[in-house]
Amino acid sequence: MSEQTGEPPASPALAELERVAQARRERDGLRTQVDVVRQRLEQERAAASAAAERLGAEQRDVERLESMSMTRILAGLRGSRSGDLDRERAEAQAAEYAVAEARSRVAREEWDLGSLEERIAGFGDLDARQRDALAAREAEIGADPGAAETSERLTAVADEAGTVRGELTELGEATAAAREADARLDQAAQLLGRADGWATYDTFLGGGMLGDMAKHQNLDRAAVHMREADAALARLAAELADVGIGSVGEIGITSMSRALDVWFDNIFSDWAVKNRIGEAAARVAQLRSALAATGQELGRRTAAARGRLASLEAERERLLRGGG
């Protein structure tokens, strides 16, 4: 104990052992995230491939109706070629949107994977750091034979405290990801509510160009926030994996029938869009409820980890003061 300050003597080796344990916990958590992201990347690549195939099929349907063919002849005979062609073009446009969305998801997962792998590499050789710290601790004990009695427990406390600190880091990152996702969902919910109001006006009161523009503007802005929420939920799923909490899911947004509504501005398409808005709003509400429950669990886990860390720090101080 220091005669001047009354504080127990510092141990650089124990401090390094704690830092190594914390880094090891964080690195192992990132490795868990890598597994999650790699699996999701494969799923997104498969989805992008399927979306591209659907786009090809829709484009071929448009080409068949635009060209001189039996399909075009039959459509013309029953007076429906123009309507059929408009529908096929709208479906092709929706398919193009789906392809772009799928490819953006692939790019996002690839970026996340690269970022995680870079962070893991940044930890360096933790095994070598631990060996060096243990050797330094042995030297400290050799210089102070009286410390040998408590050395084993102090080393264990340092290791456990570092692990808990790493867990707190992971819990903090997961909590931040949950808050970000909820903020995006809140923004989407507000815009979907506005779009639903304009969709009701469009459906029951005729709407017109003004109603269409307002509805579509709110849908476009809601779609942006929903895509951002999807990305935040994907990051949250990875963060939750390394603390042992299940994912809350994702929105999985589509074109929300906007292309069909543009091409077929009638009561059927207005109902279709209104129903899609209602479904999206219900999904957002469901996800926000799940996020609230997840946030409570993260808070409970964080409080428990802080309690464990406080107990370990108190035990370490007792040991260093020779309290046994």
Side-chain angles (χ1 to χ4, degrees):
M1 178 183 300
S2 170
E3 294 181 358
Q4 293 181 340
T5 65
E7 294 296 324
S11 169
L14 285 176
E16 174 65 359
L17 284 170
E18 184 172 330
R19 287 191 294 268
V20 169
Q22 179 178 350
R24 192 184 299 278
R25 170 64 190 250
E26 293 177 14
R27 183 200 61 186
D28 291 346
L30 291 174
R31 285 175 172 173
T32 299
Q33 291 187 44
V34 163
D35 291 339
V36 172
V37 173
R38 280 178 176 163
Q39 181 179 10
R40 200 163 56 221
L41 175 57
E42 292 305 311
Q43 294 171 347
E44 297 296 357
R45 283 173 173 166
S49 178
E53 290 180 5
R54 286 194 296 272
L55 173 58
E58 296 294 350
Q59 290 174 333
R60 287 191 292 274
D61 287 342
V62 172
E63 291 170 0
R64 279 196 293 270
L65 280 170
E66 287 178 334
S67 64
M68 181 60 70
S69 65
M70 184 58 68
T71 300
R72 177 177 175 178
I73 293 170
L74 291 175
L77 287 173
R78 62 175 189 266
S80 64
R81 177 180 177 273
S82 178
D84 287 346
L85 183 55
D86 283 347
R87 182 181 297 276
E88 294 297 343
R89 284 172 174 166
E91 290 175 351
Q93 184 180 10
E96 289 176 3
Y97 181 101
V99 168
E101 177 68 19
R103 287 174 177 169
S104 72
R105 285 171 172 261
V106 169
R108 183 190 72 202
E109 299 298 344
E110 289 175 339
W111 189 92
D112 284 348
L113 180 60
S115 177
L116 287 169
E117 291 176 337
E118 184 177 348
R119 288 177 63 187
I120 289 171
F123 284 104
D125 191 344
L126 294 181
D127 291 338
R129 281 181 60 187
Q130 184 178 43
R131 286 193 300 269
D132 292 343
L134 287 172
R137 182 57 183 157
E138 290 176 0
E140 288 176 352
I141 295 169
D144 183 7
E149 296 179 4
T150 59
S151 176
E152 184 176 349
R153 180 56 190 161
L154 277 169
T155 300
V157 167
D159 183 75
E160 187 175 354
T163 300
V164 174
R165 289 185 189 279
E167 181 184 359
L168 282 169
T169 297
E170 294 166 353
L171 289 167
E173 291 174 348
T175 299
R179 288 173 179 166
E180 173 66 16
D182 187 64
R184 298 299 183 184
L185 288 171
D186 179 59
Q187 292 169 322
Q190 293 181 42
L191 290 164
L192 285 170
R194 295 174 196 167
D196 186 56
W198 282 108
T200 299
Y201 173 67
D202 216 17
T203 301
F204 297 108
L205 301 177
M209 182 175 296
L210 178 62
D212 272 347
M213 289 179 61
K215 178 177 62 178
H216 293 154
Q217 285 174 355
N218 282 292
L219 283 178
D220 282 344
R221 292 172 62 194
V224 169
H225 289 300
M226 292 170 78
R227 279 195 296 272
E228 291 173 345
D230 249 358
L233 288 166
R235 287 192 293 272
L236 174 60
E239 296 287 357
L240 293 177
D242 62 20
V243 294
I245 300 177
S247 170
V248 298
E250 59 181 15
I251 299 172
I253 63 169
T254 67
S255 61
M256 297 175 64
S257 290
R258 179 176 174 185
L260 291 178
D261 186 42
V262 170
W263 287 106
F264 308 110
D265 195 12
N266 55 43
I267 190 66
F268 173 78
S269 66
D270 288 342
W271 268 111
V273 172
K274 184 170 174 58
N275 288 339
R276 286 292 183 90
I277 293 172
E279 291 169 0
R283 179 60 174 153
V284 167
Q286 178 185 12
L287 284 166
R288 293 196 74 189
S289 177
L291 276 173
T294 299
Q296 291 176 353
E297 175 63 13
L298 287 168
R300 186 192 66 78
R301 294 273 297 273
T302 298
R306 286 174 177 165
R308 290 200 308 276
L309 183 59
S311 296
L312 289 166
E313 289 176 339
E315 181 182 1
R316 176 173 55 196
E317 185 173 349
R318 288 195 303 271
L319 290 168
L320 289 171
R321 289 180 182 277

